[in-house]
Amino acid sequence: MTLAPPPGLFTARTWRLPVASPARIHNAALGGTDNYVLDREALAALEETAPGFTELLRATRAWHVRVVRHLAHRGIDQFLDLAAGLPHAHENTHQIAQRHNRDATVAYTDTDPLLLSYGRALLEDNDATHIVSGDHLDPHRLLDHEQLWSVLDLRRPVAVLMTRGVQHELDDHRLSAALTGYRSLLAPGSALALSGWIEPVDDPDLARSVEQVWHIHSGRRLRCRTGSELRRLFDGYDLLDPGLAPVQSWWPDGPLLRAPGKALKLGCGGVGVVPPTPG
């Protein structure tokens, strides 16, 4: 099924202009049409600063697809896609999961009213897919949301997807507390899929440059963590092989056909599983 926005849903007035939007930058990188000149200009500036930046965003999305497929094959049939952003024309989480298990249930969350309206309009005919307004860094309140607990059985494993990247989360304490909260609230066997941008050991200036250009064009700050800082976010989870890895190298579908762009040094992802309860 191809997804398309309802006519007239997106106009310049509906978006907070004149700054680029992270959701629309991603949309432009993935070849979507729900973006504006300023978003494409931001993407071009990031590409100039970090060659291969568009490739990085595409590789991260391809990693997301492989993660959902992998977890569906492991038998997980409930997916919670956090801060999901704009829907894609193809390969949204529900499409991937339900292709491998047609009974899979998927819930998307976001806080942007426009993105929520867009998602609801697109998915109104899919009874196993749901859109919920909620803060992904407040797991206790989010998982207590009536619409979530009415469709997700928290007594069984759930895959929590934070795949757009924790580089947008600046507060380590709040982020770590949220991840601990999901681990404590979800059943053993649940999974956390998480990606983020790291500071390359051999090129720390690359991370600083991307942070600066992103802020200039979007008005929002982001943070490239060290590999050790990103790995610590999985504390308490059992990391699945191959561990925390470059997104393009995490169980790839095939060999890389060309040398990766410089920006791909930034992207890492991993999947952790909630371990059995002691005793």
Side-chain angles (χ1 to χ4, degrees):
M1 178 177 67
T2 299
L3 300 181
L9 180 58
F10 288 111
T11 68
R13 291 184 179 181
T14 61
W15 291 103
R16 292 186 293 273
L17 302 176
V19 296
S21 152
R24 296 194 311 262
I25 292 172
H26 278 79
N27 181 265
L30 297 176
T33 58
D34 299 320
N35 55 79
Y36 297 98
V37 171
L38 52 85
D39 305 304
R40 297 189 289 275
E41 289 175 346
L43 182 60
L46 288 158
E47 184 72 36
E48 182 177 356
T49 300
F53 188 83
T54 300
E55 186 182 1
L56 167 65
L57 298 187
R58 291 177 178 173
T60 302
R61 188 62 195 177
W63 169 77
H64 170 98
V65 171
R66 297 195 304 277
V67 163
V68 174
R69 184 179 65 202
H70 181 79
L71 293 175
H73 284 167
R74 286 178 63 93
I76 293 181
D77 61 1
Q78 303 185 101
F79 295 82
L80 179 59
D81 195 343
L82 302 176
L86 279 166
H88 303 278
H90 303 284
E91 300 288 27
N92 291 280
T93 300
H94 68 282
Q95 292 167 311
I96 307 160
Q98 291 165 6
R99 182 165 61 243
H100 295 282
N101 180 349
R102 68 181 190 178
D103 295 324
T105 299
V106 177
Y108 296 96
T109 77
D110 212 296
T111 55
D112 187 310
L114 178 61
L115 299 182
L116 293 166
S117 296
Y118 185 15
R120 290 183 181 120
L122 292 175
L123 299 171
E124 61 183 355
D125 61 343
N126 189 317
D127 292 337
T129 304
H130 309 270
I131 311 289
V132 177
S133 175
D135 180 358
H136 61 287
L137 295 184
D138 190 351
H140 289 80
R141 179 171 293 182
L142 180 64
L143 294 177
D144 196 41
H145 193 293
E146 180 180 2
Q147 190 176 354
L148 267 187
W149 57 252
S150 66
V151 299
L152 297 180
D153 181 355
L154 300 184
R155 297 168 298 179
R156 299 193 300 109
V158 176
V160 174
L161 309 174
M162 199 178 287
T163 58
R164 287 192 63 207
V166 296
Q167 65 272 9
H168 301 289
E169 312 298 345
L170 305 183
D171 187 334
D172 270 347
H173 176 74
R174 189 167 186 234
L175 176 59
S176 295
L179 298 179
T180 299
Y182 284 112
R183 191 182 74 241
S184 67
L185 293 168
L186 296 176
S190 294
L192 167 71
L194 179 150
S195 75
W197 296 350
I198 66 167
E199 179 183 290
V201 175
D202 63 343
D203 193 1
D205 289 343
L206 176 65
R208 303 290 84 76
S209 297
V210 167
E211 290 170 346
Q212 182 178 22
V213 174
W214 187 276
H215 183 231
I216 289 170
H217 284 270
S218 72
R220 303 186 186 189
R221 296 195 179 277
L222 56 76
R223 177 182 170 200
C224 297
R225 291 172 167 83
T226 66
S228 296
E229 288 172 328
L230 198 60
R231 192 171 292 105
R232 279 199 295 272
L233 296 176
F234 287 99
D235 284 354
Y237 293 85
D238 294 335
L239 266 176
L240 296 182
D241 288 336
L244 183 64
V247 288
Q248 71 274 15
S249 302
W250 196 95
W251 296 124
D253 287 329
L256 294 176
L257 300 180
R258 62 177 185 273
K262 186 177 181 180
L264 264 78
K265 294 180 179 181
L266 299 173
C268 280
V271 178
V273 173
V274 177
T277 303

